[in-house]
Amino acid sequence: MKLSLSYKNVDLREPIENEVARHLGKLTKLLKTYTPDLVQVHASVEKHARKIAFDFSLNLALPTGSLHASGDGPDVRQSIKNAFPALSAPLQKHQATVRRDSQWQRKR
């Protein structure tokens, strides 16, 4: 999995990288079917200039499509915690569509 992080108006980089790595470890369980070279993750962290809030946006590029999620919060950890679950649900739906699970359901 290729990871790229970009920062805007953020000073603390090491805690952000540790938190992102921890959440990506959980996300790799869902991405076992893809070759690790073909999965790309781009994350960006931005601090608002006028208020105490952080935006965290996450783009996941897969061979079958790309997904986007974002999270915001009063601190960086909370914004990261909001973004990753917002990405896992559409990822599971995307994988079900690729597998064509709806065609394999039994008719009643």
Side-chain angles (χ1 to χ4, degrees):
M1 179 181 309
K2 297 177 184 177
L3 172 66
S4 64
L5 286 167
S6 61
Y7 305 95
K8 187 174 181 184
N9 300 330
V10 178
D11 296 331
L12 302 173
R13 294 181 182 216
E14 188 174 322
I16 294 171
E17 291 173 1
N18 292 339
E19 190 73 20
V20 169
R22 187 173 71 85
H23 284 285
L24 280 178
K26 295 178 183 179
L27 195 64
T28 54
K29 293 178 185 176
L30 296 173
L31 299 172
K32 287 181 183 177
T33 58
Y34 298 106
T35 307
D37 306 0
L38 301 176
V39 178
Q40 296 179 358
V41 178
H42 177 73
S44 65
V45 181
E46 180 182 355
K47 181 179 185 257
H48 288 284
R50 299 183 191 264
K51 57 184 178 179
I52 303 172
F54 290 89
D55 282 337
F56 184 79
S57 65
L58 191 62
N59 292 324
L60 177 65
L62 300 172
T64 57
S66 62
L67 302 169
H68 175 76
S70 62
D72 57 347
D75 61 342
V76 178
R77 288 184 127 189
Q78 189 64 38
S79 63
I80 294 172
K81 285 181 183 179
N82 291 340
F84 273 97
L87 183 70
S88 65
L91 176 61
Q92 290 173 350
K93 185 176 179 181
H94 174 74
Q95 287 178 337
T97 305
V98 170
R99 285 191 307 256
R100 299 181 186 224
D101 283 346
S102 62
Q103 292 181 358
W104 289 97
Q105 289 182 351
R106 221 188 239 185
K107 295 189 168 86
R108 293 189 168 195

